[in-house]
């Protein structure tokens, strides 16, 4: 392995160490801000280290075909130390600002959704309820007026048909009184049907 490849590998590992430190700070801030359950943290830690190992190996393979030397670990350690010495605070502040910005955007989108979607639907619902109530009241009022207008005609019809239904009532009264309340309608229907049939048969003869 040439000296240039070794220095390039050293630089790549140093950058990998910086990246690992930045990602770990970001992961720590996100887990604190979003209040992850404590039982999630071990699993997330394992996922972080697995992902870091995969990325570092890919970078190592790209720089020197995956040869592990002492300077590889030295470069990673120097990168992590430089991150926590120079960039850790800036990364933490940036991640917190990014989370706050995302929350503000989500609140803004929800507010816009409420103003332009939820509020009109609620207003439309109230208008429909008012219209249904008004229509029901108007329908009942109209029906009352119609009933009052038709009532004299109904009374007139009752008065005009008295010669027909009064003898029929007197003829049915003996049968009606003999029947129980639960049997009256069915038995009278059968009786009227038999009478009707017999009258028509007599007429045919």
């Amino acid at each position: 392995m040439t000296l240039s490849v070794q220095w390039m590998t050293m630089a790549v590992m140093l950058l990998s160490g910086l990246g690992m430190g930045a990602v770990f700070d970001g992961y720590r801030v996100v887990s604190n801000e979003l209040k992850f359950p404590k039982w999630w943290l071990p699993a997330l830690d394992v996922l972080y280290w697995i992902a870091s190992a995969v990325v570092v190996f890919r970078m190592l393979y790209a720089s020197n075909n995956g040869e592990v030397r002492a300077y590889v670990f030295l470069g990673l350690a120097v990168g992590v130390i430089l991150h926590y010495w120079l960039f850790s605070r800036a990364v933490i502040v940036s991640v917190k600002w990014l989370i706050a910005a995302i929350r503000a955007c989500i609140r803004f989108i929800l507010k816009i959704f409420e103003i332009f979607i939820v509020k009109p639907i609620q207003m439309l619902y109230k208008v429909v309820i008012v219209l249904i109530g008004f229509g029901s009241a108007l329908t009942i009022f109209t029906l009352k007026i119609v009933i009052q207008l038709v009532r004299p005609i109904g009374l007139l019809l009752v008065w005009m048909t008295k010669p027909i239904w009064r003898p029929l009532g007197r003829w049915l009264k003996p049968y009606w009184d003999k029947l129980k309340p639960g049997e009256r309608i069915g038995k009278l229907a059968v009786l009227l049907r038999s009478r009707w049939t017999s009258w028509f048969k007599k007429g045919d003869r």
Side-chain angles (χ1 to χ4, degrees):
M1 183 183 297
T2 62
L3 185 62
S4 61
V5 172
Q6 293 178 3
W7 279 108
M8 185 181 69
T9 303
M10 183 77 173
V12 169
M13 291 300 100
L14 189 145
L15 292 176
S16 300
L18 289 172
M20 287 176 61
V23 172
F24 185 78
D25 278 341
Y27 154 67
R28 186 176 57 179
V29 172
V30 170
S31 62
N32 289 333
E33 291 291 327
L34 300 184
K35 307 298 182 184
F36 286 161
K38 290 184 178 180
W39 58 272
W40 278 25
L41 297 180
L44 293 175
D45 289 340
V46 172
L47 289 177
Y48 165 78
W49 287 112
I50 291 175
S52 298
V54 171
V55 171
V56 168
F57 180 77
R58 292 290 299 176
M59 298 295 291
L60 183 63
Y61 186 82
S63 61
N64 67 353
N65 293 324
E67 293 185 16
V68 180
R69 301 291 176 87
Y71 57 82
V72 171
F73 299 103
L74 179 62
L76 286 174
V78 171
V80 172
I81 292 170
L82 283 177
H83 166 77
Y84 284 108
W85 185 27
L86 299 176
F87 306 112
S88 179
R89 184 172 179 80
V91 169
I92 292 173
V93 172
S94 300
V95 173
K96 287 184 177 180
W97 178 87
L98 182 61
I99 292 173
I102 292 173
R103 285 176 173 171
C105 290
I106 292 174
R107 285 195 297 267
F108 177 74
I109 293 171
L110 292 177
K111 192 66 177 179
I112 294 296
F113 180 79
E114 181 182 1
I115 293 173
F116 290 100
I117 304 296
V118 177
K119 292 293 184 181
I121 291 175
Q122 290 178 346
M123 184 64 66
L124 181 62
Y125 173 76
K126 291 179 180 179
V127 170
V128 170
I129 293 298
V130 171
L131 290 177
I132 291 174
F134 178 75
S136 301
L138 182 62
T139 302
I140 294 172
F141 178 73
T142 305
L143 286 176
K144 287 182 178 180
I145 293 177
V146 171
I147 290 172
Q148 292 296 326
L149 293 176
V150 173
R151 188 168 180 272
I153 300 174
L155 294 175
L156 179 62
L157 289 175
V158 170
W159 178 77
M160 291 175 63
T161 56
K162 274 184 179 180
I164 298 173
W165 59 264
R166 271 191 173 179
L168 181 63
R170 286 195 298 269
W171 176 72
L172 291 175
K173 191 174 185 306
Y175 298 100
W176 185 264
D177 293 338
K178 291 178 182 178
L179 296 174
K180 296 179 180 179
E183 300 175 347
R184 287 177 178 176
I185 296 177
K187 291 290 182 66
L188 285 178
V190 174
L191 176 63
L192 290 174
R193 183 178 178 183
S194 62
R195 291 292 184 183
W196 185 270
T197 305
S198 62
W199 289 341
F200 272 96
K201 286 184 179 179
K202 289 179 181 178
D204 292 341
R205 291 175 185 174

